[in-house]
Amino acid sequence: MEHPLLSVQHVSKNYGAVEALKDVSFALTRGEVVGLVGDNGAGKSTLVKCIAGVLRPSDGEIHLEGTRHEFATPADALAAGVETVYQDLALVEMFDLTANLFLGRELIRSGWLAPFGLLRKREMEVAARNAVAQLPARFPDLDAPIDTMSGGQRQVVAISKAAFWGRRLLLLDEPTAALGVQESAGVLEMVSHTATRGDMAILVIAHNLEHIFSVCTRVLVLRRGSLVADVKVGETTPEDIVGYITGAR
Amino acid sequence: MSREGGAPAGSDAVRGASLKGTPWRDIVLTPTTARIAALIAVCVFFSIASPFFLKSSNLLNVMVNTVVVGIVAAPLTLLLVARQVDLSVGSGVALAATTLAVVLEMGYGMGVAVAAAMGAAMLVVVVNAIAITKFRVNSIIATLGTLVAFRGLAKLEGSGRNIRVDHFDFLGRTRINILGLEVPLAVLILLAVLAFFWFLMSQTRYGRHMYGMGANPKAALLAGIKLERNVVIGFLLTGLAVGLAALISVSQIGAVAPTTGQGLELLAITGIILGGASLGGGRGTIPGIIVAILILAVLDNGLTLARVTSFWQEVVRGGILIGAVALDQARLARGKPDVRFEL
Amino acid sequence: MSEPRFGIGARHDGHARFARWSTLVAMLALVAGACASPATSASPAASAAPAPSTPAASEAAPSESAASGAGVRIGYISGGDSDPFVLLVTNGIRAAATKAGVELSECDSDFAAEKALACARTLESQQLASMINWQFYPDSAAEICEAYGNLPTVAIDTPERPCQKTFVGANNREAGLISGKGLGDFAKSKFDCVYDAYISLDFPVIAEINAARAGGSKEGFEGVCGAVPKDKYFSVDTFQGSPDQNENSRRQVTDILTTLPDAKTILVIAPNSDGSALAALAAADVAGRKEQMWVVSHGADPSVRDTIRNEPQWVGSVAYFPERYGDLVIPLAISLANGDTVPEQSLVTHIFIDKTNIDEFYPE
């Protein structure tokens, strides 16, 4: 049997006496879009950070395609094909789209100039334009610093960057949190579009259950650090989910 | 899946502010053009105020006066772009210059003395780097500390004396004939240093990472950029520049004093901020600071040629620093970016 | 999420907050540094070393004090040992104290009145018999004097009333006159007083002393060669913008030379230090015009003694004899400690040192 893309096994995270995550286990397969919901402080961000290599779990294991991984730094996770879009986007406002796309992974010339890390600017720009052309979104000026873009546009930039590099797993932390109705729709469309590639699994944290239900096929519910529900979207309702979140169920 | 033609419903949502239709004013009246205009204005003013201003020998002198400041300002721009500062450069110059003089006095050869001077400059760098990366001291505080400590060390080393340094004319006093102009070697060295840092900051991955670190350190960290290593490299480059500046300074003046280099960091930072670097990091280019430092040097030169009292010169220079910082703060508060982050 | 440590606040607004905070700190620090600096090394020769005014007297004094100084406790507030000149004096005082068997309690006021006050308070507890006071601010003298218990005081270079019982100092005006005359005599014999420029390397930030020295220099010069025409007179502020006198001198002299393309004879007088005169000559050298410049400086600092000897363009330097201060000051302080009467003032006898007499005073 093929290994699941992501297998989280009995992961716990403690901060001293505080148990942020308690024995969380679940699996994701390729092509899935899975929602992660829970009340504030339930442990959603903590879980994502553990998978993204920002935090180290106190206990438990994380497997990607059958192989155990221990991420010491975010760079390790990136190298393993795990891309994360954080709540504050972690984009450099002063950079344009191309520079942001390639941040930390710039294309450089080989040969005798290699140690200097000479940038291959033209190639990066071309690659960025190509990537953007594939997207459902439109950007009026690709050369502008992303400062000049709206919140929704920036979110799309961040997600497209993750989609560009991601090979296995995409983690999205509250992608629609600060956006209005229209912009959220655009972002969700972006997520669906990425999922149709079929090569990655996507985990989406959100508070808005409508958003979750519109793009996800499965929902995980965290409550006080424990996984209290793992249900298919087709087999449940938003009311049920609320019940899981609050503990009524 | 690619999309052609019109975007489907919902994607209109992500269309936002467009640069199409930006008034030409915002594109032409950038800080860059404003600076160049200021330089031209100042040059025009002084060419009217003094018949000597436009002489080629005077213009070369102006450039000579920018050499020590310029060599030190270049790596400082790199550091400031990454949201770090090094306020100890003046003291580093003093320590390196004093070391050179003292080692020569002790009877060692020029080669040994130069090596010792560079070593002294790197010593300051090492202390700065350790304080900032190992002990996590904010770079302003750390380098303020080394500014004081190493000035004291230089005074100790030289026993507080004014020390003559003979037979060290080469770097500071040689002129090379280029197309009929007697170009000082020191100016050529400055140009080489500036070219190096321009290249580093605008064409290499290292330079881009430094911009990223200054603009958004969190994003840089999450992107896998090695913050500490890059900062250390920046300080190492600063140390080399400080050593070189010290050698040229001694060569130009022929002596070392306990006050050598004092005030250098203030002048360099005035030039850098005037040149577009921001105390918040993420901004600033070498071409920008070249223009700014030229403005300051032309002001100094012009006011002297026009025989203006020195106190007025200080008022002008101080006023420029205040104005430049105020503009920088205003720009930060508005959140308005330069159109491009690199020239 | 681990915060990167250098960047305080990775968010956009935190960015601006950091920038504002750091600007404030940086500006304050730089301004503080800049304000502190002019004081440092303010006067290259601000404190004149008392040269033996009457050789007989000075020879007599040391031998007396050698016997009577043993065990006497004397305080010394230095003006600022970071200045080369002051340091020379301090070293001389220390040496003389050791020779006389005096127990010297020192404190460095580092060109700041507040520090001098702190020094005074510290020294007050040392049970001293008399004080050598060299802090630079006459307006604070009364307060400082009270702080060290109104001990009888030998004042160096700056009036320290009311505790001052004797004053030892540079005769700034006399030094100026001598230097001016030295330059004038040279100009007369060599050029018949025909010159193109008279550049004075000044330090207006210490107004009184500068006026006495620079003014005295000009007067001494004019006594030989007549009035200096206004268009030939240049005053350079060697503290302009920073305390780096050498660099300030080099830069401004370079610019002045540019305005004098046809000049053949350029006279430079440095009432503030030897170093700035060296720097001026270096500037001329870089411009390829060293042979046109003739230099006189104040101080005769060790760094220029070779130059006085060997550099043809160096006319001479006025000696302040900082190293001999101690031999005059310590005996005076001992006398005060013993309750003896002392002369009201002893001013340095400045000597114009040039190639003809340097070996007499500073043999190699």
Side-chain angles (χ1 to χ4, degrees):
Chain A
M1 186 183 106
E2 204 194 293
H3 289 288
L5 186 65
L6 171 70
S7 175
V8 174
Q9 298 173 9
H10 307 289
V11 163
S12 300
K13 177 68 183 169
N14 305 320
Y15 293 103
V18 176
E19 286 178 292
L21 291 175
K22 284 186 268 200
D23 196 20
V24 174
S25 300
F26 64 91
L28 299 180
T29 56
R30 280 181 200 283
E32 270 196 296
V33 181
V34 176
L36 178 61
V37 302
D39 219 344
N40 288 332
K44 309 189 296 295
S45 269
T46 309
L47 179 59
V48 161
K49 287 177 187 175
C50 282
I51 304 173
V54 179
L55 296 175
R56 298 188 75 156
S58 314
D59 209 355
E61 297 181 1
I62 295 175
H63 290 228
L64 287 168
E65 290 186 293
T67 315
R68 183 177 175 198
H69 283 261
E70 274 185 46
F71 300 131
T73 65
D76 290 344
L78 291 175
V82 176
E83 291 286 327
T84 313
V85 179
Y86 299 91
Q87 273 188 329
D88 61 4
L89 300 188
L91 295 174
V92 179
E93 266 91 9
M94 288 174 219
F95 284 11
D96 62 12
L97 190 144
T98 308
N100 268 299
L101 194 65
F102 285 94
L103 184 67
R105 296 179 266 212
E106 292 82 7
L107 301 179
I108 54 178
R109 290 192 195 287
S110 53
W112 70 276
L113 285 170
F116 295 100
L118 199 58
L119 297 168
R120 276 149 67 181
K121 291 189 189 176
R122 186 113 319 271
E123 291 175 44
M124 287 193 282
E125 263 167 55
V126 166
R129 265 164 230 277
N130 286 343
V132 164
Q134 314 271 329
L135 298 179
R138 285 284 168 268
F139 297 98
D141 184 353
L142 284 178
D143 287 334
I146 61 172
D147 243 7
T148 59
M149 297 180 188
S150 70
Q153 279 182 311
R154 270 182 270 171
Q155 192 74 40
V156 168
V157 169
I159 297 174
S160 60
K161 169 181 167 187
F164 183 79
W165 294 103
R167 295 192 321 274
R168 290 186 172 136
L169 184 59
L170 210 56
L171 304 169
L172 306 178
D173 191 346
E174 307 264 14
T176 56
L179 304 177
V181 169
Q182 276 203 305
E183 295 204 304
S184 298
V187 168
L188 292 172
E189 198 198 333
M190 175 80 205
V191 175
S192 301
H193 170 82
T194 310
T196 58
R197 270 166 44 178
D199 61 339
M200 292 200 289
I202 305 180
L203 185 68
V204 181
I205 300 181
H207 272 111
N208 187 316
L209 292 179
E210 231 183 86
H211 293 169
I212 295 280
F213 272 71
S214 74
V215 294
C216 301
T217 53
R218 233 169 89 205
V219 182
L220 303 170
V221 184
L222 278 181
R223 187 166 166 270
R224 295 207 195 137
S226 298
L227 190 66
V228 297
D230 183 348
V231 288
K232 292 208 178 61
V233 153
E235 290 164 14
T236 186
T237 65
E239 292 76 32
D240 288 345
I241 300 293
V242 171
Y244 284 120
I245 292 175
T246 57
R249 284 181 70 105
Chain B
M1 186 193 304
S2 61
R3 303 225 175 232
E4 288 128 48
S11 65
D12 287 3
V14 296
R15 248 181 267 178
S18 162
L19 270 197
K20 282 198 183 71
T22 306
W24 65 268
R25 271 192 338 266
D26 280 353
I27 298 179
V28 170
L29 291 188
T30 59
T32 315
T33 51
R35 253 173 256 130
I36 295 179
L39 178 61
I40 294 175
V42 170
C43 287
V44 167
F45 177 77
F46 286 117
S47 57
I48 297 174
S50 169
F52 303 105
F53 181 75
L54 284 179
K55 287 180 60 177
S56 63
S57 58
N58 184 54
L59 295 176
L60 283 174
N61 282 336
V62 169
M63 298 216 283
V64 164
N65 290 338
T66 64
V67 169
V68 172
V69 178
I71 289 180
V72 152
L76 282 190
T77 307
L78 174 69
L79 285 179
L80 199 57
V81 148
R83 221 189 271 193
Q84 305 292 319
V85 277
D86 185 352
L87 296 174
S88 70
V89 287
S91 303
V93 165
L95 188 66
T98 309
T99 303
L100 179 84
V102 165
V103 168
L104 280 175
E105 261 192 335
M106 282 163 36
Y108 293 100
M110 193 58 73
V112 175
V114 167
M118 295 302 291
M122 300 314 282
L123 172 67
V124 179
V125 160
V126 163
V127 173
N128 282 334
I130 291 178
I132 292 170
T133 58
K134 282 283 166 296
F135 295 107
R136 303 294 187 181
V137 180
N138 175 284
S139 66
I140 291 183
I141 308 290
T143 57
L144 262 181
T146 46
L147 180 160
V148 174
F150 283 104
R151 169 75 46 191
L153 192 62
K155 288 179 183 174
L156 269 175
E157 191 186 24
S159 306
R161 299 173 291 139
N162 193 50
I163 307 175
R164 266 213 80 161
V165 178
D166 283 318
H167 312 303
F168 191 56
D169 298 349
F170 177 66
L171 276 178
R173 307 197 199 184
T174 311
R175 291 190 181 229
I176 298 181
N177 197 305
I178 296 181
L179 302 175
L181 276 179
E182 293 289 319
V183 180
L185 175 64
V187 171
L188 295 175
I189 295 177
L190 170 67
L191 290 175
V193 169
L194 290 172
F196 171 78
F197 279 96
W198 168 82
F199 178 80
L200 189 71
M201 287 169 73
S202 68
Q203 306 297 321
T204 68
R205 175 175 55 182
Y206 173 76
R208 185 173 285 189
H209 285 183
M210 292 294 264
Y211 276 101
M213 280 159 57
N216 191 338
K218 212 158 146 193
L221 187 71
L222 291 168
I225 292 175
K226 302 195 187 77
L227 303 188
E228 275 182 21
R229 192 193 70 136
N230 289 344
V231 166
V232 168
I233 292 176
F235 273 96
L236 285 173
L237 291 172
T238 306
L240 291 174
V242 162
L244 180 60
L247 294 176
I248 292 182
S249 172
V250 173
S251 185
Q252 282 181 335
I253 297 179
V256 168
T259 53
T260 295
Q262 208 157 344
L264 188 61
E265 53 285 316
L266 188 59
L267 188 55
I269 295 208
T270 305
I272 292 173
I273 305 248
L274 184 64
S278 169
L279 285 164
R283 269 183 237 285
T285 64
I286 295 291
I289 65 155
I290 290 177
V291 174
I293 288 183
L294 279 174
I295 292 176
L296 291 175
V298 165
L299 268 170
D300 263 347
N301 170 268
L303 289 173
T304 302
L305 292 182
R307 303 184 87 167
V308 172
T309 334
S310 76
F311 291 155
W312 273 116
Q313 295 188 38
E314 291 184 29
V315 170
V316 168
R317 221 202 250 175
I320 289 179
L321 175 59
I322 294 173
V325 173
L327 271 173
D328 178 43
Q329 292 294 292
R331 187 175 55 199
L332 276 175
R334 269 200 333 260
K336 191 167 180 184
D338 274 322
V339 174
R340 286 217 67 115
F341 71 93
E342 46 184 78
L343 272 176
Chain C
M1 187 170 291
S2 53
E3 278 286 323
R5 252 63 81 95
F6 328 106
I8 298 173
R11 295 172 158 275
H12 208 34
D13 51 324
H15 186 125
R17 233 184 298 127
F18 170 80
R20 274 193 282 277
W21 178 84
S22 60
T23 314
L24 186 63
V25 172
M27 287 304 114
L28 283 174
L30 287 172
V31 167
C35 286
S37 356
T40 314
S41 176
S43 56
S47 58
S53 29
T54 46
S58 68
E59 272 150 34
S63 56
E64 262 178 55
S65 63
S68 55
V72 177
R73 299 172 65 87
I74 296 177
Y76 169 49
I77 300 179
S78 160
D81 288 337
S82 57
D83 180 287
F85 190 93
V86 176
L87 188 61
L88 282 167
V89 174
T90 298
N91 288 338
I93 291 179
R94 285 180 191 144
T98 309
K99 208 166 66 179
V102 160
E103 277 181 49
L104 190 70
S105 294
E106 292 183 50
C107 188
D108 189 342
S109 75
D110 200 18
F111 296 91
E114 303 77 42
K115 288 221 185 97
L117 192 57
C119 278
R121 292 194 187 114
T122 310
L123 291 172
E124 205 262 331
S125 60
Q126 309 269 312
Q127 295 173 324
L128 306 165
S130 61
M131 179 69 70
I132 303 169
N133 188 353
W134 190 358
Q135 66 85 23
F136 284 111
Y137 303 95
D139 295 329
S140 308
E143 209 186 350
I144 290 168
C145 182
E146 199 183 315
Y148 60 67
N150 295 306
L151 291 168
T153 302
V154 179
I156 298 181
D157 204 62
T158 313
E160 312 282 0
R161 299 191 205 285
C163 297
Q164 158 187 325
K165 294 278 179 269
T166 179
F167 180 87
V168 167
N171 194 335
N172 290 311
R173 193 172 134 68
E174 183 65 25
L177 289 170
I178 290 177
S179 67
K181 182 167 186 305
L183 186 61
D185 286 342
F186 177 82
K188 184 146 186 86
S189 70
K190 192 139 173 135
F191 314 112
D192 203 25
C193 284
V194 173
Y195 59 93
D196 300 300
Y198 175 102
I199 303 178
S200 186
L201 303 178
D202 296 335
F203 49 113
V205 67
I206 308 188
E208 225 177 278
I209 296 183
N210 183 60
R213 279 201 217 159
S217 303
K218 186 157 176 268
E219 209 183 301
F221 177 81
E222 288 177 335
V224 179
C225 284
V228 178
K230 206 141 161 237
D231 60 322
K232 292 190 182 172
Y233 182 80
F234 295 84
S235 167
V236 166
D237 179 0
T238 58
F239 276 93
Q240 191 230 25
S242 83
D244 192 346
Q245 293 178 62
N246 293 353
E247 168 61 19
N248 292 334
S249 168
R250 180 204 71 81
R251 192 187 70 240
Q252 293 179 73
V253 168
T254 302
D255 290 341
I256 290 175
L257 285 175
T258 307
T259 66
L260 304 166
D262 304 318
K264 297 279 182 303
T265 308
I266 298 162
L267 308 176
V268 171
I269 196 150
N272 63 345
S273 73
D274 299 298
S276 55
L278 271 175
L281 200 57
D285 192 16
V286 170
R289 299 169 69 172
K290 194 166 142 195
E291 296 73 34
Q292 296 175 346
M293 184 178 282
W294 305 95
V295 172
V296 165
S297 74
H298 283 227
D301 185 284
S303 71
V304 287
R305 291 188 194 149
D306 270 344
T307 313
I308 297 175
R309 265 193 196 91
N310 303 320
E311 170 61 62
Q313 309 299 123
W314 201 277
V315 176
S317 301
V318 178
Y320 283 67
F321 302 110
E323 64 282 357
R324 300 197 198 173
Y325 260 96
D327 287 335
L328 193 55
V329 163
I330 290 292
L332 286 170
I334 293 173
S335 296
L336 284 179
N338 293 336
D340 299 333
T341 51
V342 291
E344 207 179 294
Q345 69 172 15
S346 317
L347 296 181
V348 180
T349 299
H350 298 280
I351 311 255
F352 188 77
I353 303 220
D354 60 14
K355 292 169 179 52
T356 65
N357 63 1
I358 182 166
D359 289 321
E360 213 182 298
F361 292 92
Y362 293 116
E364 265 177 312

